[in-house]
Amino acid sequence: MKRLQPIIILLAALGISGCDPAARGFSLPPGDVAQGEQVFLNMQCLSCHTMEGYERPDNADELSVALGGKVKSIKTYGELVTSVIHPSHKLAKGYDMSTIQTEGGESVMPLYNDIMTVAELVDLVTFLESKYELEVYEATDYSLRH
Ligand code: HEC
């Protein structure tokens, strides 16, 4: 059941990031937003996360790391894939570190790599990606005319 291992090794080898030319050519097949939403709900991501338009389960964790919504810099597809299959790579910003990482400095987010199929991952990330919206910087209007 280690279906994702080749991808993880690949991502690690490519050091996937926007500016790394070694990541060129990395592409997953298109995903399906509706199916991704099902994966998101089935895998109970909402027990630690919040997302606009979704209710958290009653037994939700104290943790509430926001996913989606308006962001100042957009999360790339590669970053979202990495956040899901290798959460410790780069921890989310703006949270009390003691709540989001273990004593060993790892993300407290569980690893789904042995239970999530590649198809589920692709759909899930397509769903997540659709939930982020870039907050456009609005320049102050200094013009005197109205
Ligand atoms: C046990 C709690 C827990 C569960 C369950 C969980 N996560 Fe997380 N997740 C976290 C924590 C804590 C962070 C912040 C630390 C980090 O970046 O890894 C995080 C971070 C993330 C991030 C990066 C957010 C950012 O702003 O950088 C994404 C994307 C994400 N999780 C997606 C998911 C998805 C999708 C699922 C379900 C398959 C899920 N998580 C399940 C705890 C959890």
Side-chain angles (χ1 to χ4, degrees):
M1 295 284 281
K2 300 252 156 96
R3 278 165 291 191
L4 273 177
Q5 227 153 17
I7 289 199
I8 295 162
I9 292 163
L10 184 71
L11 286 180
L14 295 178
I16 193 137
S17 81
C19 48
D20 187 343
R24 209 184 302 140
F26 177 80
S27 167
L28 289 169
D32 181 280
V33 173
Q35 305 244 47
E37 180 186 46
Q38 278 314 306
V39 177
F40 183 72
L41 297 173
N42 293 345
M43 302 260 168
Q44 298 178 2
C45 310
L46 287 165
S47 60
C48 298
H49 289 285
T50 55
M51 185 181 276
E52 209 182 303
Y54 294 86
E55 294 241 336
R56 301 191 76 197
D58 293 340
N59 58 349
D61 208 273
E62 283 172 35
L63 265 169
S64 86
V65 175
L67 297 181
K70 292 201 167 137
V71 286
K72 295 240 170 8
S73 76
I74 205 76
K75 294 217 172 285
T76 65
Y77 190 88
E79 283 170 335
L80 288 171
V81 172
T82 306
S83 288
V84 175
I85 67 175
H86 185 190
S88 299
H89 174 65
K90 202 165 115 198
L91 299 180
K93 296 207 177 77
Y95 298 94
D96 177 353
M97 288 312 267
S98 66
T99 63
I100 65 165
Q101 67 175 13
T102 63
E103 278 178 21
E106 302 269 296
S107 172
V108 302
M109 178 161 152
L111 271 184
Y112 294 89
N113 298 354
D114 288 337
I115 52 165
M116 198 185 285
T117 66
V118 174
E120 285 172 328
L121 171 72
V122 167
D123 290 339
L124 175 63
V125 171
T126 305
F127 163 74
L128 291 176
E129 200 184 20
S130 75
K131 294 291 176 186
Y132 284 93
E133 197 184 325
L134 189 63
E135 193 168 31
V136 180
Y137 171 77
E138 290 197 28
T140 312
D141 182 6
Y142 290 109
S143 77
L144 296 172
R145 277 177 292 159
H146 287 285

